[in-house]
Amino acid sequence: MATGEGEVAALREILADPERREQAAAAGRARAALCVRCHGDHGNTARPDIPRLAGQNPYYLLDQLARFASGDRSHYVMTPLARQLGPEERRQVAVFFAVQEGGREAADPALAARGEAVFQARCRACHGDGVAGRAGYPRLAGQHPEYVVRQLERFRSGDRRRHSEVMAQVAASLGEDEIRAVAHYVASAGAGGTPPRKSGDGHGAPAAHPAGAGHGGDGHGHAD
């Protein structure tokens, strides 16, 4: 985990105080001016190759920004952007996107119904009930199905840009039809935002997990 305990504790304090949370979100909106060019206004991008950040788990967002800044994750756009932000600014950006209202993507109802069973069996333990994410893992609800499919395929292929032993094993156990089905299920799940919460309620401070452990709603991954 790239995020230090002090940064996590600072974020937890912000989220526990409505006034500080509002102030952080307002500051984060200004800091995220470049982010919205790809991730869309308020984190609701219409591009299927870019992840939706609205309503994302703030602890996950903070951790991924720290990973890009440290070089633990590398991306030609995200790495230099993350390195421009200090710890406080990363917290503000994480809060800004976390408090935004997400939505649902258009999905095939039959595929989504099949995908729910796959998600409950293979994904729910980390990505949570309602596909809302938990601990240090991302919210996948409302994510673009094309993006989820591509990320799962990358995990399955061993692509170094999406390295995670856990996710590689899960993705390798899924057939092409199951990948498409679970992608449509998470796309259609969880309309509305996931407000940031304190530790212990499903969106708490990140537990130790492999770099890039999430997919679909990985917070900052791009198609490249």
Side-chain angles (χ1 to χ4, degrees):
M1 185 174 66
T3 311
E5 292 182 6
E7 289 187 56
V8 172
L11 177 59
R12 187 183 298 118
E13 291 177 2
I14 291 171
L15 299 176
D17 184 328
E19 184 176 353
R20 290 186 64 191
R21 185 172 62 217
E22 184 177 351
Q23 292 172 348
R29 180 183 178 90
R31 301 288 184 269
L34 292 177
C35 306
V36 300
R37 293 184 181 182
C38 291
H39 292 285
D41 191 32
H42 298 93
N44 282 298
T45 179
R47 291 179 56 177
D49 59 328
I50 300 292
R52 173 174 276 152
L53 302 186
Q56 186 56 268
N57 179 352
Y59 295 99
Y60 182 76
L61 289 173
L62 180 65
D63 190 51
Q64 295 307 300
L65 281 170
R67 289 184 185 279
F68 280 119
S70 70
D72 192 30
R73 283 191 69 181
S74 180
H75 184 271
Y76 72 101
V77 173
M78 283 305 309
T79 297
L81 286 179
R83 287 176 175 169
Q84 293 178 24
L85 303 174
E88 182 178 11
E89 292 169 320
R90 290 198 294 266
R91 290 192 293 270
Q92 292 168 344
V93 170
V95 172
F96 167 68
F97 283 118
V99 301
Q100 304 308 312
E101 184 174 356
R104 287 179 174 152
E105 278 294 303
D108 182 297
L111 277 177
R114 290 170 53 198
E116 182 175 8
V118 176
F119 180 89
Q120 295 299 326
R122 313 282 181 85
C123 314
R124 184 181 62 83
C126 291
H127 292 289
D129 295 320
V131 205
R134 60 171 49 153
Y137 295 89
R139 167 191 168 103
L140 302 183
Q143 203 56 255
H144 301 291
E146 297 93 337
Y147 182 79
V148 178
V149 167
R150 185 161 184 173
Q151 298 308 309
L152 282 170
E153 288 176 342
R154 283 183 166 170
F155 279 120
R156 188 169 62 172
S157 72
D159 189 324
R160 289 179 297 175
R161 291 170 293 185
R162 304 299 300 137
H163 175 68
S164 162
E165 291 183 9
V166 173
M167 282 305 308
Q169 293 174 4
V170 171
S173 73
L174 301 176
E176 294 289 346
D177 289 345
E178 289 176 310
I179 285 178
R180 291 185 61 240
V182 77
H184 279 259
Y185 169 64
V186 302
S188 65
T194 300
R197 304 172 185 175
K198 292 184 289 184
S199 179
D201 66 357
H203 288 274
H209 62 282
H215 60 84
D218 72 349
H220 295 276
H222 289 70
D224 301 313

